[in-house]
Amino acid sequence: DQQVKQNSPSLSVQEGRISILNCDYTNSMFDYFLWYKKYPAEGPTFLISISSIKDKNEDGRFTVFLNKSAKHLSLHIVPSQPGDSAVYFCAASRTAGGSYIPTFGRGTSLIVHP
Amino acid sequence: EPEVTQTPSHQVTQMGQEVILRCVPISNHLYFYWYRQILGQKVEFLVSFYNNEISEKSEIFDDQFSVERPDGSNFTLKIRSTKLEDSAMYFCASSWDRIATNEKLFFGSGTQLSVL
């Protein structure tokens, strides 16, 4: 039962270009979405989040877009840097009237080439 | 910045043995969680803990699993009789409040459990 799907296991991008990581979800009751970044031998660290009342949230080089009708969100990194190379996890939560526990995808490994 | 600490970083055990994975959550956090990730698969929720009791658990968290907060700082996950399929990276996490807008989980660096 994959309620949160990250269908691309890996993505390779040139430094300076845009990285777009995609995430789809099946549960329409999810109303809060988070992106985490994970380096090897470290735990996931919070990157950016978005509430379902918004369709965009921006933090520096990172922007998350939410398309509720398509049950799709994406993380844009512009410009991409070699230090962005990591595994990116999408997570979704139902904060209102249900389990608030975030459900995670399996991650997308981003490699940014110099 | 405060962090969640997990020990050990690696644990190798024989099938059928008991293991205890240890975590020290961020000190003023009230909600505690265990997740795991089997290699190549998604990060799976196991259990959440609040006010000294389990608040939610997944179907993975069967009678072989237990959690405890024995001394107000440590948060442990015990697997009574390990199986090969328990081999995974186990992540502890904590949060100050239930996950809602502007709240987030803070993760430890994980314990890689290998069951032989």
Side-chain angles (χ1 to χ4, degrees), chain B residues 41-110:
Chain B
Q41 299 186 24
K42 65 177 181 174
V43 176
E44 301 174 295
F45 168 71
L46 295 178
V47 65
S48 62
F49 193 85
Y50 169 71
N51 199 25
N52 285 319
E53 62 183 22
I54 291 173
S55 54
E56 198 161 336
K57 61 182 181 179
S58 72
E59 59 191 25
I60 301 169
F61 194 87
D62 61 21
D63 291 345
Q64 292 300 309
F65 291 87
S66 63
V67 288
E68 199 176 37
R69 189 158 160 78
D71 56 11
S73 63
N74 290 285
F75 179 51
T76 62
L77 174 69
K78 182 192 292 186
I79 309 175
R80 265 181 265 283
S81 177
T82 50
K83 302 188 282 285
L84 295 176
E85 53 265 37
D86 294 327
S87 295
M89 177 69 85
Y90 287 79
F91 291 107
C92 173
S94 68
S95 64
W96 188 82
D97 199 352
R98 290 163 57 97
I99 299 303
T101 304
N102 298 322
E103 185 57 75
K104 55 185 180 279
L105 297 177
F106 290 80
F107 283 89
S109 56

Side-chain angles (χ1 to χ4, degrees), chain A residues 1-3 32 34 36 38 41-46 49 51 89 93 95 98-106, chain B residues 31 33 35 37 40-43 45 48 55-56 91 97-110:
Chain A
D1 173 25
Q2 277 203 67
Q3 295 191 73
Y32 183 54
L34 309 96
Y36 280 79
K38 182 185 178 305
E42 296 182 14
T45 55
F46 172 77
S49 64
S51 165
F89 291 100
S93 169
T95 64
S99 170
Y100 65 97
I101 304 294
T103 299
F104 284 79
R106 63 178 60 201
Chain B
Y31 291 79
Y33 314 79
Y35 282 81
Q37 186 181 26
Q41 299 186 24
K42 65 177 181 174
V43 176
F45 168 71
S48 62
S55 54
E56 198 161 336
F91 291 107
D97 199 352
R98 290 163 57 97
I99 299 303
T101 304
N102 298 322
E103 185 57 75
K104 55 185 180 279
L105 297 177
F106 290 80
F107 283 89
S109 56

